[in-house]
mmCIF file of all heavy atoms in Angstrom:
data_model
loop_
_atom_site.group_PDB
_atom_site.id
_atom_site.type_symbol
_atom_site.label_atom_id
_atom_site.label_comp_id
_atom_site.label_asym_id
_atom_site.label_seq_id
_atom_site.Cartn_x
_atom_site.Cartn_y
_atom_site.Cartn_z
ATOM 1 N N GLY A 24 165.315 217.360 -48.987
ATOM 2 C CA GLY A 24 164.711 217.298 -47.669
ATOM 3 C C GLY A 24 164.315 215.889 -47.260
ATOM 4 O O GLY A 24 164.298 214.960 -48.072
ATOM 5 N N PRO A 25 163.943 215.712 -45.982
ATOM 6 C CA PRO A 25 163.602 214.377 -45.451
ATOM 7 C C PRO A 25 162.412 213.715 -46.151
ATOM 8 O O PRO A 25 162.405 212.501 -46.328
ATOM 9 C CB PRO A 25 163.273 214.661 -43.981
ATOM 10 C CG PRO A 25 163.982 215.934 -43.662
ATOM 11 C CD PRO A 25 163.964 216.737 -44.926
ATOM 12 N N LEU A 26 161.405 214.494 -46.538
ATOM 13 C CA LEU A 26 160.238 213.905 -47.179
ATOM 14 C C LEU A 26 160.597 213.276 -48.518
ATOM 15 O O LEU A 26 160.137 212.173 -48.854
ATOM 16 C CB LEU A 26 159.145 214.960 -47.373
ATOM 17 C CG LEU A 26 157.832 214.461 -47.999
ATOM 18 C CD1 LEU A 26 157.218 213.367 -47.121
ATOM 19 C CD2 LEU A 26 156.845 215.619 -48.171
ATOM 20 N N ARG A 27 161.423 213.947 -49.290
ATOM 21 C CA ARG A 27 161.855 213.410 -50.582
ATOM 22 C C ARG A 27 162.701 212.146 -50.371
ATOM 23 O O ARG A 27 162.565 211.170 -51.108
ATOM 24 C CB ARG A 27 162.646 214.467 -51.351
ATOM 25 C CG ARG A 27 162.906 214.106 -52.812
ATOM 26 C CD ARG A 27 163.811 215.141 -53.465
ATOM 27 N NE ARG A 27 163.154 216.424 -53.636
ATOM 28 C CZ ARG A 27 162.810 216.947 -54.801
ATOM 29 N NH1 ARG A 27 163.038 216.269 -55.911
ATOM 30 N NH2 ARG A 27 162.256 218.134 -54.873
ATOM 31 N N ALA A 28 163.561 212.179 -49.368
ATOM 32 C CA ALA A 28 164.392 211.014 -49.074
ATOM 33 C C ALA A 28 163.530 209.836 -48.620
ATOM 34 O O ALA A 28 163.778 208.686 -49.002
ATOM 35 C CB ALA A 28 165.420 211.363 -47.995
ATOM 36 N N PHE A 29 162.498 210.100 -47.803
ATOM 37 C CA PHE A 29 161.611 209.033 -47.329
ATOM 38 C C PHE A 29 160.828 208.436 -48.493
ATOM 39 O O PHE A 29 160.629 207.223 -48.565
ATOM 40 C CB PHE A 29 160.657 209.597 -46.278
ATOM 41 C CG PHE A 29 159.768 208.555 -45.660
ATOM 42 C CD1 PHE A 29 160.311 207.517 -44.913
ATOM 43 C CD2 PHE A 29 158.399 208.607 -45.837
ATOM 44 C CE1 PHE A 29 159.486 206.550 -44.341
ATOM 45 C CE2 PHE A 29 157.574 207.639 -45.275
ATOM 46 C CZ PHE A 29 158.118 206.606 -44.520
ATOM 47 N N THR A 30 160.431 209.278 -49.440
ATOM 48 C CA THR A 30 159.727 208.797 -50.632
ATOM 49 C C THR A 30 160.617 207.863 -51.444
ATOM 50 O O THR A 30 160.185 206.801 -51.900
ATOM 51 C CB THR A 30 159.279 209.980 -51.507
ATOM 52 O OG1 THR A 30 158.436 210.855 -50.747
ATOM 53 C CG2 THR A 30 158.535 209.494 -52.738
ATOM 54 N N LEU A 31 161.878 208.248 -51.607
ATOM 55 C CA LEU A 31 162.818 207.403 -52.351
ATOM 56 C C LEU A 31 163.050 206.081 -51.629
ATOM 57 O O LEU A 31 163.127 205.026 -52.269
ATOM 58 C CB LEU A 31 164.149 208.146 -52.531
ATOM 59 C CG LEU A 31 165.216 207.415 -53.354
ATOM 60 C CD1 LEU A 31 164.750 207.202 -54.785
ATOM 61 C CD2 LEU A 31 166.531 208.187 -53.335
ATOM 62 N N LEU A 32 163.131 206.135 -50.311
ATOM 63 C CA LEU A 32 163.337 204.916 -49.537
ATOM 64 C C LEU A 32 162.160 203.950 -49.701
ATOM 65 O O LEU A 32 162.344 202.734 -49.841
ATOM 66 C CB LEU A 32 163.528 205.253 -48.064
ATOM 67 C CG LEU A 32 163.783 204.076 -47.121
ATOM 68 C CD1 LEU A 32 165.072 203.353 -47.490
ATOM 69 C CD2 LEU A 32 163.831 204.546 -45.675
ATOM 70 N N LEU A 33 160.939 204.480 -49.714
ATOM 71 C CA LEU A 33 159.757 203.642 -49.901
ATOM 72 C C LEU A 33 159.735 202.985 -51.281
ATOM 73 O O LEU A 33 159.184 201.901 -51.452
ATOM 74 C CB LEU A 33 158.482 204.472 -49.705
ATOM 75 C CG LEU A 33 158.192 204.977 -48.282
ATOM 76 C CD1 LEU A 33 156.924 205.813 -48.268
ATOM 77 C CD2 LEU A 33 158.063 203.813 -47.305
ATOM 78 N N LEU A 34 160.346 203.658 -52.257
ATOM 79 C CA LEU A 34 160.363 203.139 -53.620
ATOM 80 C C LEU A 34 161.498 202.139 -53.859
ATOM 81 O O LEU A 34 161.598 201.569 -54.957
ATOM 82 C CB LEU A 34 160.484 204.290 -54.622
ATOM 83 C CG LEU A 34 159.262 205.204 -54.754
ATOM 84 C CD1 LEU A 34 159.600 206.418 -55.617
ATOM 85 C CD2 LEU A 34 158.092 204.447 -55.357
ATOM 86 N N TYR A 35 162.340 201.916 -52.862
ATOM 87 C CA TYR A 35 163.514 201.059 -53.048
ATOM 88 C C TYR A 35 163.158 199.656 -53.554
ATOM 89 O O TYR A 35 163.818 199.146 -54.472
ATOM 90 C CB TYR A 35 164.324 200.986 -51.752
ATOM 91 C CG TYR A 35 165.528 200.084 -51.851
ATOM 92 C CD1 TYR A 35 166.629 200.449 -52.623
ATOM 93 C CD2 TYR A 35 165.577 198.860 -51.189
ATOM 94 C CE1 TYR A 35 167.734 199.635 -52.731
ATOM 95 C CE2 TYR A 35 166.674 198.028 -51.295
ATOM 96 C CZ TYR A 35 167.750 198.416 -52.063
ATOM 97 O OH TYR A 35 168.843 197.600 -52.168
ATOM 98 N N PRO A 36 162.136 198.976 -53.002
ATOM 99 C CA PRO A 36 161.800 197.644 -53.532
ATOM 100 C C PRO A 36 161.436 197.666 -55.014
ATOM 101 O O PRO A 36 161.806 196.760 -55.776
ATOM 102 C CB PRO A 36 160.599 197.219 -52.676
ATOM 103 C CG PRO A 36 160.741 198.009 -51.412
ATOM 104 C CD PRO A 36 161.301 199.331 -51.839
ATOM 105 N N ILE A 37 160.703 198.704 -55.428
ATOM 106 C CA ILE A 37 160.337 198.813 -56.845
ATOM 107 C C ILE A 37 161.572 199.051 -57.695
ATOM 108 O O ILE A 37 161.723 198.480 -58.787
ATOM 109 C CB ILE A 37 159.310 199.951 -57.040
ATOM 110 C CG1 ILE A 37 158.025 199.636 -56.263
ATOM 111 C CG2 ILE A 37 159.007 200.164 -58.524
ATOM 112 C CD1 ILE A 37 157.001 200.735 -56.304
ATOM 113 N N ILE A 38 162.480 199.895 -57.206
ATOM 114 C CA ILE A 38 163.717 200.194 -57.936
ATOM 115 C C ILE A 38 164.519 198.922 -58.175
ATOM 116 O O ILE A 38 165.122 198.730 -59.235
ATOM 117 C CB ILE A 38 164.542 201.234 -57.158
ATOM 118 C CG1 ILE A 38 163.826 202.582 -57.157
ATOM 119 C CG2 ILE A 38 165.942 201.376 -57.741
ATOM 120 C CD1 ILE A 38 164.428 203.614 -56.227
ATOM 121 N N CYS A 39 164.509 198.028 -57.194
ATOM 122 C CA CYS A 39 165.244 196.765 -57.329
ATOM 123 C C CYS A 39 164.597 195.832 -58.338
ATOM 124 O O CYS A 39 165.279 195.014 -58.957
ATOM 125 C CB CYS A 39 165.336 196.077 -55.974
ATOM 126 S SG CYS A 39 166.323 196.951 -54.751
ATOM 127 N N LEU A 40 163.287 195.956 -58.517
ATOM 128 C CA LEU A 40 162.551 195.009 -59.357
ATOM 129 C C LEU A 40 162.510 195.409 -60.830
ATOM 130 O O LEU A 40 162.392 194.540 -61.691
ATOM 131 C CB LEU A 40 161.120 194.845 -58.833
ATOM 132 C CG LEU A 40 160.955 194.130 -57.485
ATOM 133 C CD1 LEU A 40 159.507 194.190 -57.031
ATOM 134 C CD2 LEU A 40 161.420 192.679 -57.590
#
Side-chain angles (χ1 to χ4, degrees):
L26 182 60
R27 191 186 291 249
F29 184 64
T30 302
L31 183 63
L32 181 62
L33 292 178
L34 290 171
Y35 178 70
I37 298 176
I38 292 170
C39 294
L40 291 174

